[in-house]
Amino acid sequence: MEIGSIGIVGAGQMGNGIAHVCALAGYDVLLTDVRQEALDQAMDLIGRNLDRQVSRDKISAADRDATMGRIRTTLAVTDLGPCDLIIEAATEREEVKHAIFAELGPALADHTILTSNTSSISITRLASRTDRPERFMGFHFMNPVPVMQLVELIRGIATDEATYAACQSVVARLEKTSATAEDFPAFIVNRILMPMINEAVYVLYEGVGTVTSIDTSLKLGANHPMGPLELADFIGLDTCLAIMNVLHDGLADTKYRPCPLLTKYVEAGWLGRKTQRGFYDYRGDTPVPTR
Ligand code: NAD
């Protein structure tokens, strides 16, 4: 099936990036959010991010204008019904996602493929509450979307081959690379990455290393571009904790128990870069370790 139009639900951090890359690749994009302010901010941010690509000679000014011209916005989620593909990227709360799919249901064209960008919610469970589990799957972009090359494609138990192939062809047209994952907690990237970050927090908690020695060790000793604690601050410590809880609950294995020090940082509201403090303090000119 040929995809021409893409509807995106949620114009936050991920939704605006997804709209950006889809429109740049030539798809007609319809972006929705419950807040007009989120739509306005997303359009503004997409414009500025495209400007940066023009100034770096990655795209032409004509590409920028054509891309902006392919993105429309609406406050009514049902307007997305006729799109060939819908990517849901709203707030990571299961009841929010179920409500979106319930409202969309009666408005959907028969052929529409439904997908979710969820990082942690079961694709099979989301699909089971729609009228089309065979045309439902996970379409998991990485943050920041315009920069990161990978998209995880997650099959629910009922996802059919035509749906999977259509999504794979979209990833190829976005000039990104897909990796296929079965529908188990946290899929592939976060299943491997988060326990590593959690282990780095345990190493800090047990006093084996300091923030600086842990990050330096992984950067220079394992050739990671960022240390695990620096990366945790970038992702958001609340998000890291939530994903560890999904692994712990979903796989029922104590090896996934979140480090108490990670919980303590989250309880303090020290969530990383977004709150200016996490394993590093970002309030000055250069980040300073907080332990
Ligand atoms: P965000 O908080 O930045 O944006 C969510 C947006 O959804 C907000 O603008 C909100 O107004 C909107 N929204 C809430 N309810 C809605 C509804 N009923 N209809 C339409 N819009 C609604 O969140 P985000 O970081 O962009 O995450 C979105 C999704 O992407 C989540 O499922 C998350 O797990 C997933 N994800 C996030 C990351 C990440 O690093 N942030 C990476 C991969 C996947």
Side-chain angles (χ1 to χ4, degrees):
M1 186 195 143
E2 193 65 25
I3 306 289
S5 55
I6 301 183
I8 298 163
V9 185
Q13 201 176 179
M14 296 305 287
N16 86 68
I18 298 168
H20 174 142
V21 298
C22 291
L24 186 58
Y27 292 107
D28 289 323
V29 169
L30 185 54
L31 180 62
T32 187
D33 201 286
V34 281
R35 297 178 300 120
Q36 182 62 44
E37 190 196 359
L39 292 172
D40 295 341
Q41 282 171 357
M43 290 307 286
D44 183 55
L45 188 59
I46 294 168
R48 281 187 281 126
N49 287 339
L50 286 165
D51 284 341
R52 191 167 333 116
Q53 287 179 297
V54 173
S55 68
R56 289 183 185 160
D57 282 335
K58 297 223 159 114
I59 63 171
S60 69
D63 288 339
R64 176 213 186 272
D65 294 345
T67 301
M68 289 304 282
R70 280 192 286 269
I71 307 175
R72 290 179 301 126
T73 61
T74 176
L75 282 170
V77 71
T78 47
D79 288 349
L80 274 57
C83 291
D84 300 326
L85 168 68
I86 294 178
I87 303 173
E88 174 279 313
T91 311
E92 185 76 341
R93 294 221 326 265
E94 189 160 344
E95 64 275 20
V96 169
K97 298 190 190 283
H98 284 310
I100 289 168
F101 292 127
E103 195 179 347
L104 260 173
L108 292 177
D110 279 350
H111 73 279
T112 302
I113 292 175
L114 281 182
T115 66
S116 175
N117 185 50
T118 179
S119 300
S120 62
I121 300 168
S122 159
I123 297 300
T124 302
R125 206 160 61 231
L126 289 175
S128 72
R129 301 265 291 263
T130 72
D131 67 345
R132 58 193 67 210
E134 66 291 343
R135 288 196 296 292
F136 193 108
M137 57 183 281
F139 208 122
H140 186 218
F141 288 88
M142 309 291 129
N143 185 24
V145 180
V147 176
M148 300 296 280
Q149 279 305 304
L150 184 76
V151 177
E152 280 182 305
L153 291 179
I154 303 112
R155 293 180 208 263
I157 201 165
T159 308
D160 68 23
E161 203 45 46
T163 299
Y164 181 78
C167 289
Q168 212 174 18
S169 71
V170 171
V171 175
R173 184 153 151 203
L174 299 179
E175 295 179 7
K176 295 193 184 289
T177 301
S178 59
T180 312
E182 292 299 319
D183 181 26
F184 288 101
F187 316 130
I188 295 175
V189 173
N190 285 328
R191 168 85 178 258
I192 297 171
L193 180 64
M194 286 304 159
M196 186 199 72
I197 287 176
N198 193 49
E199 196 63 26
V201 185
Y202 268 112
V203 169
L204 180 66
Y205 174 65
E206 290 168 8
V208 180
T210 63
V211 169
T212 305
S213 66
I214 292 165
D215 277 351
T216 303
S217 297
L218 270 288
K219 278 194 283 194
L220 302 185
N223 221 10
H224 289 193
M226 286 171 110
L229 300 174
E230 197 186 351
L231 179 58
D233 276 357
F234 181 76
I235 294 168
L237 304 191
D238 50 342
T239 304
C240 294
L241 180 60
I243 296 172
M244 285 311 297
N245 279 323
V246 165
L247 286 168
H248 195 220
D249 296 346
L251 298 165
D253 189 330
T254 55
K255 76 178 178 181
Y256 298 114
R257 68 202 184 283
C259 178
L261 184 61
L262 179 61
T263 306
K264 189 191 272 198
Y265 269 78
V266 173
E267 284 172 350
W270 292 15
L271 307 181
R273 281 187 176 270
K274 62 185 167 188
T275 57
Q276 303 250 292
R277 237 181 320 184
F279 293 114
Y280 294 86
D281 186 333
Y282 300 92
R283 290 172 299 174
D285 289 340
T286 48
V288 180
T290 52
R291 283 178 93 81

